[in-house]
Amino acid sequence: MHQPSPGSLAEVLMRAMEQSPVIVIITDPAGLIEYVNPMFCLVTGYSSDEIVGKPSRILKSDVLPSTVYAGLWNKLINGEDWKGEFHNRRKNGELYWEAATISPIRNKEGKTEHYLKIAEDITRQKAMEAELKEAEFQRDRLIEEMRRLAVRDALTGLYSRRAFNDELNQAWQIGERRGLPLSLLMLDIDHFKVLNDTFGHQVGDQILIETSHLIRATVRAGDIVSRYGGDEIAVILPLTGPEETHRVGERLLYAFRKNIFCRGIHDLHVMVS
């Protein structure tokens, strides 16, 4: 097999770097740039004359933490290769990402005389990854919202009828297994259809919202409040016997008697049965 002469081999290697589709940079041990290939110039906007002799930190964007560069130099000083990603700055100020490998180039005695960096512009891939993550984030938010709507009534924020049935079944089974009391209150807003027809659906919605707030503020934190139907509110009272349930009902009726709904607009007195 024909072996190229040292001179022709050096020429081949130089052409390979000049025609390479990746970025090639050679620096001295202090990090001063000695050589850049045309791909470097294309990506960064710097010409070879502008960049040779300058410190490689001229490309730093100050976006990456200093620990990245400290780890890089620690490896290189110890004679090891470094692989990672840089967030660098082009000549025009734009930021770009590159995936890079930096290797020491040693002389015959094993002393590092140069560093060789081979890198690839991955800005487009990073942008696509960011768009994918954003799409996944929006998808997760949509799924979570759908789950929330399945559990919560959109208007009042109370448990939906479906979620109420699940909670009731679970509470009932626990009570049955352990012999614990469980009570249920069903409340209807008095004359709700008349209020809707007289003042409009917007006022009707406001009454429902205020009703939900009033009930949640009156019952215990562990009680489960659900919008069971149009103007029907169901309250599950775990660990509650008849006497305590009666007292909860009295507290609710008292809260409604003293509350003014749509205050400052219609000042309505609303009761529940």
Side-chain angles (χ1 to χ4, degrees):
M1 181 177 178
H2 173 69
Q3 293 289 336
S5 64
S8 62
L9 180 58
E11 185 180 343
V12 170
L13 291 174
M14 179 56 69
R15 285 205 306 268
M17 288 194 291
E18 292 287 305
Q19 299 173 21
S20 174
V22 297
I23 298 167
V24 179
I25 305 174
I26 298 175
T27 74
D28 69 8
L32 292 178
I33 297 173
E34 298 177 313
Y35 168 83
V36 294
N37 72 337
M39 181 54 69
F40 169 90
C41 299
L42 181 64
V43 170
T44 66
Y46 287 103
S47 69
S48 178
D49 291 339
E50 290 176 309
I51 205 72
V52 169
K54 300 289 176 56
S56 56
R57 64 176 178 272
I58 193 174
L59 301 171
K60 283 178 62 175
S61 63
D62 295 323
V63 173
L64 294 178
S66 58
T67 52
V68 173
Y69 299 98
L72 179 156
W73 280 108
N74 184 57
K75 274 187 168 289
L76 294 181
I77 290 172
N78 288 323
E80 302 176 44
D81 293 345
W82 179 89
K83 292 183 180 180
E85 294 180 352
F86 286 118
H87 204 189
N88 284 343
R89 192 178 300 277
R90 307 183 204 271
K91 181 182 177 181
N92 63 7
E94 292 179 358
L95 297 177
Y96 72 98
W97 281 97
E98 65 177 22
T101 299
I102 303 178
S103 304
I105 301 176
R106 306 176 184 85
N107 59 21
K108 292 180 180 180
E109 287 73 36
K111 181 181 178 182
T112 298
E113 291 188 336
H114 308 276
Y115 291 113
L116 169 68
K117 182 171 97 169
I118 298 176
E120 181 182 6
D121 185 352
I122 57 170
T123 307
R124 182 175 297 180
Q125 294 94 310
K126 283 286 187 180
M128 291 175 65
E129 289 175 7
E131 289 177 6
L132 180 59
K133 287 182 180 178
E134 177 63 22
E136 290 175 347
F137 174 73
Q138 295 296 341
R139 182 203 62 190
D140 291 344
R141 284 187 60 185
L142 179 61
I143 292 173
E144 183 60 31
E145 180 66 12
M146 291 172 66
R147 287 175 179 166
R148 188 189 68 80
L149 291 175
V151 173
R152 297 285 181 178
D153 173 62
L155 177 64
T156 63
L158 301 178
Y159 279 104
S160 66
R161 182 167 181 163
R162 175 182 174 184
F164 164 82
N165 290 332
D166 292 340
E167 293 288 338
L168 180 60
N169 287 333
Q170 184 177 358
W172 182 273
Q173 290 171 13
I174 293 173
E176 283 284 288
R177 286 198 304 268
R178 301 182 182 178
L180 301 173
L182 174 72
S183 295
L184 176 66
L185 284 176
M186 299 293 293
L187 300 90
D188 287 280
I189 299 174
D190 293 345
H191 313 297
F192 185 71
K193 185 177 185 304
V194 175
L195 291 168
N196 247 338
D197 293 343
T198 303
F199 298 102
H201 290 290
Q202 188 171 357
V203 170
D205 287 349
Q206 184 60 33
I207 291 172
L208 283 168
I209 292 170
E210 292 184 31
T211 294
S212 68
H213 291 167
L214 187 60
I215 293 174
R216 282 191 292 188
T218 305
V219 300
R220 301 165 302 186
D223 296 332
I224 300 163
V225 186
S226 165
R227 185 181 179 189
Y228 195 73
D231 65 330
E232 292 179 308
I233 308 296
V235 185
I236 302 172
L237 304 170
L239 307 176
T240 308
E243 291 184 6
E244 178 61 23
T245 301
H246 181 76
R247 285 193 288 269
V248 172
E250 288 296 326
R251 287 201 304 270
L252 285 168
L253 291 174
Y254 176 75
F256 274 87
R257 277 196 295 269
K258 71 175 186 177
N259 189 71
I260 298 176
F261 288 76
C262 303
R263 185 184 293 271
I265 302 174
H266 298 290
D267 292 337
L268 300 174
H269 290 278
V270 177
M271 285 303 295
V272 293
S273 300

